[in-house]
Amino acid sequence: MFTQYNGFDSPFHTGFNIFLFMFFIIFALIIGTFIVMIVKNIYTWNQNNHTPLLTVHAKIVSKRTHISHHHHGSANMHNIHTTSSTQYFVTFQVESGDRIEFRISGTEYGLLADNDSGTLSFQGTRYLSFRRD
């Protein structure tokens, strides 16, 4: 004997409802993550704008890079495309002994060397410049 289902209690319909529920939860999490990132970046930008510009004597104590690799491929994985991006960081030590790390451009990174001393200008977490003595 066959069991007849109406449209609302069939096993297919229950599975489809679970799929829709999970789809919308994951979609909401992704959108929520983007919103949190945007709000955080705006908050940091605003904090930096309201922080006084400081110019202090500092010494470069270290330099580092962070390389990210991104792999992109088609559904059949025949066309794999890889990209890389590099972020550059420099750590300064000010006269009080405190250390501050800033993300800087690659061009600026290439011009700086460990143990350079000079004048560091920054505003909050925003690196502005470094001039050797």
Side-chain angles (χ1 to χ4, degrees), residues 93-116:
Q93 183 169 332
V94 296
E95 290 176 330
S96 67
D98 293 330
R99 292 184 176 197
I100 309 166
E101 182 179 66
F102 293 103
R103 183 177 168 186
I104 64 172
S105 72
T107 303
E108 190 91 20
Y109 182 88
L111 297 174
L112 301 176
D114 285 347
N115 296 318
D116 279 349

Side-chain angles (χ1 to χ4, degrees), residues 8-24:
F8 296 104
D9 60 357
S10 72
F12 172 76
H13 192 266
T14 303
F16 188 69
N17 281 341
I18 292 171
F19 169 76
L20 280 177
F21 177 74
M22 293 301 293
F23 175 80
F24 284 116

Side-chain angles (χ1 to χ4, degrees), residues 76-133:
N76 59 13
M77 298 303 285
H78 290 297
N79 299 322
I80 297 176
H81 177 70
T82 303
T83 59
S84 297
S85 62
T86 305
Q87 296 175 336
Y88 302 92
F89 298 90
V90 175
T91 302
F92 296 92
Q93 183 169 332
V94 296
E95 290 176 330
S96 67
D98 293 330
R99 292 184 176 197
I100 309 166
E101 182 179 66
F102 293 103
R103 183 177 168 186
I104 64 172
S105 72
T107 303
E108 190 91 20
Y109 182 88
L111 297 174
L112 301 176
D114 285 347
N115 296 318
D116 279 349
S117 292
T119 305
L120 169 67
S121 296
F122 63 99
Q123 187 176 22
T125 61
R126 185 183 301 146
Y127 170 84
L128 300 174
S129 68
F130 180 76
R131 294 183 189 209
R132 278 193 231 32
D133 288 339

